[in-house]
Structure formats: C-alpha cells, structure tokens
Amino acid sequence: MRTTTQPATFPHNHQSPATFIRPNSASAPKATPAQTPLPPPHILDLRGSDLSFSLKDELIKGLADGQPRVVPGDTPEDEQFAYTRTIDTLCLYSDAGLEIYEKITELGEYYVFPAELEILREYGSEIACRMFGEPSELLTEDYLERMDGGSNGDKDPPYAPTPAASAGARKEKWGDGAVGVNNNGVNGSISSPKSRSGIAIELGSGSLAKTKHLLRPLAKLLKVSHEGVPAFKSIEYKALDVEKNSLVETLGKLVEKEPESVTSVHDGTPRVVVGGIAATYDEGLEHFKASSSSDDESKSLVWLGSSVGNFTRPDAASFLRKIATNVLTSGDTMLIGIDNCADGDKIRTAYDDPKGVTRSFIFEGINHAGRSLHGGLGGNGGLASKNFKYISRWNAQIGRHEVKSSCPKARVSLNEFCEQAYVQCKVDNLVIPLEGQGTVTLKKNEMVRIEVSYKYTQLEALALFDAAGLRLVQQWTDSRRLHSIYLIEKPAFHFPLHASLGVAPAINPYGLPSLHEWETMWKTWDTITLGIIPRELLMKKPIPLRGLGPSASPSVFARLINRAGHIILFYLGHIPAFAGIHLCRYFGEAPIEPAQFADIFERGIDPDIADPTQINHWHSQVPEKADEWPSLEKIIAYQERVRERIRKVYTQPVEAMSMRLARVMFMIYEHEAMHAETLVYIALQASNSLVPAPGFQVPDFKSLSSSWDRLVAVEGASRRAVIPFGATTVKIGHNDAETADADAKYDASHEFGWDVENPEREVAVDGFKITALPVSNGEYLAWLESAGASLGASLIPCSWELDGTTATAETVRVKTLYGEVPLDYAKHWPVSASATQLLAFAKAKNGRLPTQAELAVFHRHSPVDSAMGNVGFQNFHPVPPTVPHMQRDGSVGFGSDGGVWMWTSDVLAPHDGFSPSTIYPGYSSDFHDGTHLIVVGGSYVTPPRLARRTFVNFYQAGYPYVVAGARIAYD
C-alpha cells in the first residue's frame, strides 16, 4: 500500500549447487557478534543534496489551477469522482504518518501486511537464495547436513546434470565426457571458485518488520563456501526511505535485536552489513545511477508492501523501466510485492477500517502537506484535515483503491481496477496559498486525489514487467493467494510483447523490423550459438537426421549420418548467407565475401520421414569432411559483414524505402528467428552438454515445481475442464500479396507475412469441445503406464530421456536447455511430442487433434502472444499452461499453451487464393506433399511477432524434435 525506496546492481556468478558446503571451523569465520558496542548504522542523507526532491514544488504542481479533469472510468458513477487536483502521496510518510501506518499494519482488516509477512516467513530462505541466483536448496538443513557429512553423509551427493536441477537429480558417472563438461556439472570443468559481494537495496523500508525475514537467511548465505572459498565476501543491505529519523531508529533497533544476522560495520563476521539512504525514490535512483559496481558484485532491489500500486499502471511501468535502464545490469534482480486481491469488500474494509486508523493516516498526510506548503494558517484556511473529509473507493473496473479528500462540493473519480483515496473539501471557497504562485480556491465538495492503490492480476503483473523490459524469474504467494512476491530480473535481451498493459503498440509490430529489433535478434542468436551451445558441439549432429523418426534403428542412423543432416555449424553460416544473398540480389550487388559461402550455406534440408534417404527439395552441397568446413572465426567474420550491410539499409529514411525492400528485410529477419528455434530443437538433443544462457538466472526447478504444485492444487478440476464452443466463423490469415509490392513505397501500416498466410479468408467452424489445457508430461506418462509395453518405444517422446527402457515417474527425465530434469519437476508442463504420438494419445481418449480453425477460435480468447503466453524467451523452458479465467470485464480467456507450439490435424496444402512466394520460391509449396501438418501458436523461444494470430508453421507429422504439444478436441 505505501512505500518509498531505491536500488543497486551486481552480475551473478552461478555455481553448481552440488559443490556448496556448510563451513566448518577451519574454513569459515565464526558467526560471533562483536563484543564491543557497534556504531550506529551509517545513513547517507540525500535530502539536502543537489538531487533533493522538493515536496513543496510537487504540492504546488498538483494543486495548481488549469489541470485536466480526470474521470476514472466511463460510467455515471465515475463522474462522481472526477478531479483536477492531487496531493503527492509522499505527504503521507512523515514521521507521524509512519507511526500511524504501523498501526494500520496491525489491523486485522489490512490483509496486505500479514499476507506478505506470511510469504517471507514461509519462503524467506528460498527467496534470499534466489535473489542472488543461488539454488534454494542451499539453505535447507537436509542439504547442509548431507554436504557436511551429517545424517546423509554416508550417501552419495545428489549430483545434478546442470545447476538447474538440484536435489533429486540423476547421479552421473564421473568421467562421463558427455555430461557436465560445459555446465558446471559433475565433471568439474568450472573455473576456480570466486567470492562475490552482494547488495540488497530496499525501496521504502518502513519498520523492517518484514525485512528481517530476508536478512536472516542472507546472513546464512555468508556461511556457505565452495572448496573452502566463501560464496560471498560480504552482503550489504541498504534501506532507502524518505525520513532520516525513521531510518536511524529502525536500523538501530534492527542491529540491536538481530545481532546474529546483522551488523553496522564490516567486522569479518558472517553478518549482513546494514545502512540507510534518506531519499525519495527518484533521488535514490539518481544516486545508484551515478555509482558503479564491480564485476564480482550482485545486486538485488527489494520493493515490498505493494508500493507499486501507488503508481498508475503506465507510471509503474515507467518507474520500473527507469530502474532496469539506469540501475540494474544484466542478471540483476528485483523483489517486488504486489497485491493480488480482487475481493471488493475485503479491499474496501482494508482501506477504510472501522476504527478509522486509515482515515487518521490520510488526515495526517493532509496536515503534513499544509505544514510543508504554507505552515499553520490558523482559522479555517489552507490544507488542514478539519477542512476535508475522507473518501475511499474501490474501483473494480480498473483494479485500484482510490483515496480522495473532498471539499464537499466537487467530485472525483478514478476509473481503474484499484482502491482510490480522496479528500473532499467541506468548506466553500477554501483558499490555499501557494508560495510564490498566488493562491488556489477549492469549492465545496471538490475532490482531491491523495492516494491510489492498484491491484494486479497475474496477467497484469506480467504485462507490467514486460513493459519495463524485465522478466519474471519466480513467484511466491500467501496461502489465501491475496498477495504475491515476484522475483524479476533484467535479462540480457528482451522481446517486448505487442500490447502490454492493454495499450496498443505505438508502431506496427508486423511491419518492417526496426534496427533495435535486429540488434535484439542478433543478441538472441549469439546467446544460442556462442553462449548456450559449446564450441565442441558445433561440428556434431545431435539430431543425426532432422526428419528421422524415433523408431529408427542405430544402424540406420549410422548409415545415413554422413548423407543427410547438418552439423550445427551449418546454421551459423546459413543465417548470414541467406540474408546476404537476398540483400545483394535486391541491390544488384556482388556477393558478400567470401562469395563461396553463399553456395555452401544457402539452403538446408528436410528429409522425408518415411524414407530419410529422400530429400524432396533443392539444398546446398556441403563439405563431407570436417576439415573442409570454414572455421568458426571465418563464419563469425562473415556474419558481421552481413550485419553491417543490414545496418546500412537503415541509414536511409524509412519513408524512402520501397515495399519490396521492406519485405526482404522482414523475410530475412523472421527467417533468422525461425532458425533460432531450429537450433534450440537441435541443442535439446544434447541437453546435458549445454551452457546456461549467459545474462539470465538459472531456474531453480526444485522450488519452481513446488510452487507449480501448489497452484495446480488450488485450481483442481478446472485444469481438466473441456470447453465447448458453438458453431461460428473465424478469420484465418491476412491480406499480404507480394504482387502488390510493385514499385510502391513502404507503407508503415502494412502487415507482412509468408505465402501461407495470404489471403485472409473466413472459415466456418462446427461446434466442438476442446481441453482447457494441452496434454501434460504427467498425463502422457500416465497413459503410457496404463497401457503397458503394448504401446511400444515409438511413442516415447524425444523430449524425454529414460533411465532404462521403461517409462516411469522415476525413470523419465525431461530435456531442457539446462540439462535433463526429473519428470516430477516438469509433470505439469505440456509434453513436446510428434503429431503421430499425440494423435495416438487423443484416440485413446476418444478424441482427435483440433483443426487450425478450431485452435483459431480458442486463441481468439487466449492469444498466444499475451503476457501469460510464455513466448519470446520469457523463460528458456516450458511452464505449466494456464486455465482460461474470468476477466474484469466478465469475459473468459487468457489461457496459455505453456510455451509450446500446437499441432493441428490440418495437412499443409494450397488454400483458396494461395499464391506461392516469388522472392522465396518453395518456402511452403515444396512441402505440399501430404505429410506436413499445420502447427500454430508459438514456443518459449518464439519472438512475439512470430506468435501472431496468422502465422503458420508446418512439420511432418512424425517429426519428433519440434517443441510442440496438443490440446485434444471432441466433436
């Protein structure tokens, strides 16, 4: 509800969870508090600096005449709450205001504080670990005892294939060259352990009553070491708040009451060093922007109390974006508490309690504003609580609580899902002097907005983070699911969604890719090819034959490995070659050197599943021997020359660009995006040899799976629902004929697509039913187990790896970019399998795969590219799909596919009006062979522009490697 604070920054040095041990007396300092009295915590006071915020100036700005009239909604009721004046929320946080606020937190009606406190008490250790990128298991007693030779000391440690899979992971064989070499795994090819520093910065620290539940486990992290080297040299905590006196008091008490966990000085003991910064949010951000951090520092901001709700949604996104841009570096995190409550009665009571404590809080804010603006005036003039009455409003439409003061005769209204606080003027013609700005006069009943408190659904919270350029790492909720604490991070790259916070994109997201989009795509491509995939894999074929089915014998693989299928290095050359060929063709230029690269890398292969020796389309002739391939260095140099040619295109004004050139740029951009997915499919077949994506936190699947289990338990039967749809029509595709390019200038409103998307047509759809969620790994395994061996090995998905020959909950491991994880961690994820395999499952359930049109009907209410969709590298793995749920407007929608494509039963074939591409001959027509099925939606590695409603993907029904699942349809 209330808060004020700022951040700090640090990169992260991920270590293998299996290598951290609890220190013994010989390897770590003892946690003995200093015997001599400690000096008071240091407080940096920025309020008198050049950065200092002027409350008086803000009050004058908010109360001045001539401001636009704000109506918080579009209903007649909203008109009652219209306002033109505001009082800065900061007025609420005087020393006296903070004392009253502490009383509010003790009220039974005020659910926010106890809900957040419950989360921190229950999951504090887990959260503290994740703030700095450590596995949550690190601070569990069971883990520490095993690593310290305790009750489990006689057992083997739980070696994990990667840092992502902590406890419960399959034990690997020492010396297994295929496992752990590149990912901090069991073969130990990690660099010498290094200690790092950590800093946690809390914005709006308040009483620290909740914060101590983070500081205690953070102190424990200081007692963890790796090979005798402490994981952290030090951890500092900085409390940022507007009132210095409050910081002095609260931090002093913290040091006194928590001597085992915190200290005010660096004294060599494993305790968190605490200090404070007296500043507003903006002052603190400017301070941290000006300060620098070293490479061995990790930074995490803490913003609790749902203080983000005090901002409008656009302002909240802007504030978080400022933090992401100016304070955080890649991999830094932020912990943010957000109110989820949608119970109007509970919210109204919380913000207008029967004892009137909240009313007193607001009135003290009015008095503080008056003292700051004009001092005591005496009589009945000026800003004084006696001249106002308190009005609290829950605005369910926009999800916010509104607080206003009203001068009994004017009105106020805020139209958003939030609680709003107003004061209403009780005095007619109330004169308020504005120092140096004359006076303003409030009419009786005039509303003045003093506070808002937005509430966020899961969808809105994710959209907020996306709008700020941040990504969700993990989430914790209280037992009543009234409140959440989200851990978000600044990723190494970010693909913005196209309609965050319900705001339409400023530019056409399906037109000419911007240069910024190109730079993001190149970061993505380099992360996959040079970050995740280790160099020694580039000359290998994790998928010996791209189209080869899972039932092929080893002898077939051996016979064909040199006749079809590409090494990974081919794709590194293919992307720049494809772009260079089409750019040079358009401009009439000579090939980009080395010219022979165009011959080697122009086109890949798609073998026939039924007969892998047959490749039914033209493809490049590639070297047969390893030493005949160009070196990686030469390919990278070639790639950079092509990228420079692309950058050169953008030196001309966009409005001067031709439609055909814009189409070429669109085509080579989306071609690169599609092949980024291809590389992920390939890399997953060597999952235990991959490197965690640099600049992103390694997921802690153990704690994530526990949170997913809790969510699934709450949703219960709704996850097994079958949703009926009546007969209807749906639009497929869009109008984008290449022939219309001619000599036309680029039209910035035009939406490009591929030949399979053109033209738009309306399709009639009979009534049908469809499962709310795709088939999960757990469901698919249960089906295999129930049928026994009769189903055969051909139905084992290639996204799984078995310990042995029989699929069980104990033997199945799911392949991820972080290595193989136990099925128990991924049981709620959608299973990735071939259409052939999923059709067998559907038939066993008396169902079928849905048609393209049926999925278009479903996705009309649950768009794939929503904030819930898990597309665009929101994660580097699938997540449990979400059930369509009731929205604020009463509609039902925004379910999700969990980050996998959706198979359809439709065979790829020419549709009415189809015209094959002329600038990319054979893009789809080469695959009108009766074996390719249409695939729609998007995966966790699909950029949002490819997750568009009209995009059509296609694979052979038996192709087992694509990250694709299926819903089950019924007539």
Side-chain angles (χ1 to χ4, degrees):
M1 175 180 175
R2 358 263 176 180
T3 314
T4 317
T5 320
Q6 314 318 334
T9 32
F10 293 37
H12 299 181
N13 173 26
H14 300 299
Q15 301 284 354
S16 169
T19 58
F20 282 101
I21 60 170
R22 184 165 53 183
N24 54 38
S25 57
S27 61
K30 296 180 179 180
T32 305
Q35 300 301 312
T36 57
L38 291 171
H42 174 68
I43 309 294
L44 174 63
D45 191 352
L46 297 180
R47 301 309 306 276
S49 69
D50 292 338
L51 302 174
S52 185
F53 164 89
S54 171
L55 179 57
K56 183 181 294 185
D57 290 345
E58 291 301 310
L59 287 169
I60 292 172
K61 189 186 305 182
L63 292 168
D65 291 328
Q67 298 185 73
R69 184 172 182 266
V70 177
V71 180
D74 51 14
T75 69
E77 179 188 359
D78 296 318
E79 280 289 338
Q80 302 175 38
F81 295 90
Y83 63 93
T84 63
R85 307 182 201 275
T86 61
I87 295 174
D88 196 287
T89 303
L90 199 60
C91 290
L92 299 172
Y93 300 102
S94 63
D95 286 340
L98 288 170
E99 289 182 8
I100 300 174
Y101 176 62
E102 291 310 311
K103 296 178 181 178
I104 291 175
T105 65
E106 297 170 1
L107 296 172
E109 294 83 0
Y110 187 59
Y111 61 88
V112 178
F113 186 90
E116 193 166 67
L117 183 60
E118 176 193 331
I119 296 171
L120 293 169
R121 282 174 170 166
E122 182 71 20
Y123 306 110
S125 292
E126 193 170 291
I127 294 170
C129 289
R130 302 305 297 138
M131 286 169 62
F132 293 114
E134 302 295 347
S136 62
E137 194 186 19
L138 208 59
L139 293 183
T140 62
E141 283 303 315
D142 178 63
Y143 179 82
L144 291 172
E145 287 175 3
R146 279 181 295 172
M147 294 299 97
D148 202 27
S151 59
N152 293 322
D154 57 335
K155 299 180 181 179
D156 293 331
Y159 294 115
T162 71
S166 47
R170 175 180 53 160
K171 285 182 274 189
E172 305 291 353
K173 300 189 295 291
W174 287 93
D176 183 348
V179 178
V181 175
N182 306 291
N183 55 20
N184 300 343
V186 299
N187 290 318
S189 67
I190 57 176
S191 58
S192 300
K194 297 179 181 179
S195 289
R196 56 186 170 127
S197 301
I199 181 169
I201 304 167
E202 182 170 8
L203 309 181
S205 53
S207 69
L208 305 180
K210 292 176 291 190
T211 309
K212 63 185 179 183
H213 295 286
L214 284 178
L215 296 176
R216 290 169 184 168
L218 285 176
K220 291 181 181 179
L221 279 178
L222 288 166
K223 302 175 184 178
V224 174
S225 50
H226 169 55
E227 297 180 6
V229 178
F232 287 89
K233 293 181 290 187
S234 65
I235 295 178
E236 294 185 3
Y237 166 79
K238 299 294 185 184
L240 187 151
D241 219 321
V242 291
E243 294 293 342
K244 181 177 180 180
N245 292 339
S246 176
L247 284 170
V248 171
E249 180 182 358
T250 56
L251 288 171
K253 288 182 178 178
L254 181 70
V255 171
E256 178 185 343
K257 294 183 178 180
E258 300 286 332
E260 296 293 327
S261 303
V262 302
T263 179
S264 60
V265 294
H266 289 276
D267 57 8
T269 60
R271 295 184 290 174
V272 178
V273 180
V274 301
I277 299 174
T280 64
Y281 287 153
D282 289 338
E283 291 164 350
L285 290 181
E286 284 297 319
H287 169 72
F288 291 116
K289 179 181 178 182
S291 62
S292 60
S293 56
S294 63
D295 291 340
D296 66 347
E297 292 178 319
S298 296
K299 183 185 298 177
S300 186
L301 273 65
V302 180
W303 199 22
L304 301 176
S306 199
S307 298
V308 66
N310 296 153
F311 293 77
T312 65
R313 298 198 198 283
D315 286 347
S318 178
F319 180 68
L320 290 178
R321 192 181 307 115
K322 183 188 297 184
I323 290 174
T325 302
N326 297 334
V327 179
L328 302 180
T329 58
S330 179
D332 283 340
T333 65
M334 183 173 185
L335 201 65
I336 178 170
I338 296 184
D339 190 345
N340 298 334
C341 186
D343 183 333
D345 290 339
K346 181 179 289 293
I347 293 168
R348 277 186 285 269
T349 304
Y351 289 84
D352 194 6
D353 60 275
K355 295 181 179 179
V357 180
T358 302
R359 181 179 292 103
S360 299
F361 177 69
I362 297 297
F363 282 164
E364 168 54 29
I366 295 293
N367 292 331
H368 182 210
R371 293 190 298 268
S372 301
L373 185 61
H374 50 60
L377 294 180
N380 293 323
L383 282 176
S385 59
K386 61 185 176 183
N387 295 325
F388 295 88
K389 70 178 182 179
Y390 170 60
I391 294 178
S392 173
R393 183 201 187 202
W394 164 239
N395 191 326
Q397 180 180 349
I398 33 181
R400 79 181 174 205
H401 167 262
E402 305 167 345
V403 180
K404 299 185 182 179
S405 317
S406 102
C407 205
K409 238 156 204 164
R411 300 144 178 261
V412 136
S413 132
L414 283 169
N415 212 0
E416 305 177 344
F417 190 83
C418 66
E419 187 70 8
Q420 300 166 322
Y422 306 86
V423 285
Q424 186 179 42
C425 184
K426 299 191 296 185
V427 180
D428 201 11
N429 296 321
L430 177 66
V431 177
I432 300 176
L434 306 179
E435 185 177 284
Q437 304 289 327
T439 62
V440 294
T441 302
L442 274 61
K443 297 179 180 179
K444 190 174 184 181
N445 290 339
E446 181 175 348
M447 294 284 199
V448 181
R449 198 204 72 194
I450 190 169
E451 185 187 41
V452 296
S453 183
Y454 282 83
K455 314 304 174 189
Y456 284 79
T457 64
Q458 178 79 356
L459 174 66
E460 289 164 342
L462 293 177
L464 171 67
F465 306 149
D466 172 73
L470 299 163
R471 68 173 284 268
L472 176 66
V473 175
Q474 204 155 336
Q475 174 185 1
W476 297 266
T477 62
D478 69 294
S479 57
R480 295 182 294 170
R481 307 192 75 80
L482 298 174
H483 194 84
S484 289
I485 292 180
Y486 298 89
L487 182 67
I488 54 181
E489 75 169 340
K490 180 176 181 177
F493 58 82
H494 172 250
F495 286 97
L497 299 173
H498 295 150
S500 290
L501 299 177
V503 179
I507 59 173
N508 172 19
Y510 309 119
L512 172 72
S514 68
L515 185 56
H516 177 72
E517 286 181 272
W518 275 108
E519 298 290 351
T520 302
M521 177 54 64
W522 292 334
K523 288 179 183 177
T524 306
W525 181 260
D526 293 345
T527 295
I528 296 170
T529 58
L530 304 177
I532 294 174
I533 300 174
R535 184 162 180 162
E536 53 267 35
L537 274 186
L538 295 180
M539 298 300 294
K540 298 184 181 298
K541 302 177 182 180
I543 299 177
L545 189 60
R546 282 188 67 240
L548 201 57
S551 60
S553 68
S555 62
V556 173
F557 274 97
R559 189 170 66 250
L560 297 175
I561 190 167
N562 291 318
R563 297 178 57 187
H566 285 312
I567 60 173
I568 294 175
L569 188 72
F570 170 84
Y571 297 96
L572 274 69
H574 174 58
I575 290 305
F578 182 91
I581 288 168
H582 284 278
L583 281 175
C584 293
R585 184 177 296 163
Y586 176 83
F587 287 109
E589 299 172 348
I592 296 173
E593 293 296 335
Q596 67 269 27
F597 278 18
D599 297 326
I600 299 173
F601 296 114
E602 181 173 1
R603 195 176 190 192
I605 61 170
D606 185 45
D608 188 287
I609 288 290
D611 182 1
T613 64
Q614 298 300 310
I615 302 171
N616 301 318
H617 62 83
W618 178 86
H619 60 90
S620 300
Q621 296 301 312
V622 300
E624 294 185 2
K625 298 179 180 179
D627 59 4
E628 294 175 347
W629 282 89
S631 68
L632 174 63
E633 288 72 22
K634 288 182 178 179
I635 293 174
I636 295 301
Y638 174 63
Q639 172 182 272
E640 187 52 38
R641 287 192 288 275
V642 173
R643 289 179 178 180
E644 279 303 314
R645 186 62 187 91
I646 291 172
R647 292 186 183 102
K648 186 178 177 181
V649 171
Y650 288 86
T651 60
Q652 64 174 300
V654 172
E655 55 270 17
M657 195 176 292
S658 71
M659 185 67 86
R660 177 49 59 97
L661 177 56
R663 183 180 297 280
V664 170
M665 300 303 291
F666 141 81
M667 179 180 68
I668 60 179
Y669 177 89
E670 293 203 352
H671 174 264
E672 182 163 345
M674 286 187 262
H675 275 287
E677 288 214 37
T678 300
L679 282 183
V680 168
Y681 304 161
I682 293 172
L684 284 171
Q685 299 311 306
S687 61
N688 279 346
S689 297
L690 304 178
V691 179
F696 293 82
Q697 259 213 24
V698 174
D700 184 40
F701 287 125
K702 184 182 175 96
S703 59
L704 281 170
S705 64
S706 295
S707 67
W708 294 332
D709 287 345
R710 293 191 293 270
L711 173 63
V712 170
V714 169
E715 292 181 336
S718 66
R719 298 186 68 84
R720 299 186 295 276
V722 176
I723 303 173
F725 288 91
T728 185
T729 61
V730 66
K731 290 182 178 179
I732 302 291
H734 66 173
N735 296 317
D736 174 43
E738 289 181 11
T739 54
D741 292 354
D743 297 322
K745 292 292 185 184
Y746 171 57
D747 176 2
S749 67
H750 183 77
E751 295 185 358
F752 290 115
W754 299 86
D755 57 12
V756 285
E757 298 176 71
N758 177 64
E760 182 181 78
R761 59 256 184 222
E762 192 167 56
V763 178
V765 183
D766 293 333
F768 68 99
K769 294 181 289 185
I770 192 168
T771 54
L773 301 177
V775 181
S776 69
N777 282 306
E779 291 173 312
Y780 194 87
L781 174 62
W783 169 60
L784 292 179
E785 289 182 312
S786 67
S790 61
L791 291 177
S794 65
L795 290 175
I796 302 297
C798 280
S799 61
W800 292 3
E801 188 68 36
L802 302 187
D803 285 341
T805 58
T806 304
T808 68
E810 290 72 34
T811 62
V812 172
R813 302 182 58 77
V814 179
K815 298 172 184 176
T816 80
L817 292 174
Y818 299 95
E820 298 166 8
V821 300
L823 177 79
D824 187 54
Y825 293 173
K827 60 181 177 290
H828 302 305
W829 296 358
V831 63
S832 288
S834 71
T836 302
Q837 292 166 334
L838 288 164
L839 179 59
F841 177 93
K843 287 181 177 179
K845 305 297 181 180
N846 298 315
R848 56 179 173 81
L849 297 183
T851 66
Q852 179 188 8
E854 288 170 340
L855 280 176
V857 171
F858 179 88
H859 284 143
R860 189 158 56 187
H861 302 281
S862 296
V864 176
D865 60 350
S866 80
M868 301 289 286
N870 192 29
V871 297
F873 296 87
Q874 291 175 308
N875 295 283
F876 280 77
H877 55 82
V879 298
T882 54
V883 179
H885 53 281
M886 184 77 73
Q887 305 300 303
R888 293 208 174 100
D889 62 3
S891 64
V892 175
F894 288 101
S896 72
D897 301 334
V900 300
W901 291 89
M902 291 286 104
W903 286 103
T904 78
S905 59
D906 288 359
V907 175
L908 181 70
H911 52 258
D912 291 342
F914 172 78
S915 179
S917 174
T918 57
I919 63 171
Y920 189 165
Y923 169 75
S924 65
S925 57
D926 278 355
F927 307 102
H928 292 166
D929 54 13
T931 68
H932 285 74
L933 297 185
I934 288 175
V935 181
V936 299
S939 80
Y940 57 90
V941 289
T942 304
R945 71 179 290 148
L946 266 69
R948 59 182 175 266
R949 174 187 62 85
T950 62
F951 188 81
V952 173
N953 212 337
F954 44 90
Y955 290 92
Q956 293 176 70
Y959 185 61
Y961 302 111
V962 62
V963 179
R967 284 182 169 80
I968 308 304
Y970 302 90
D971 295 319

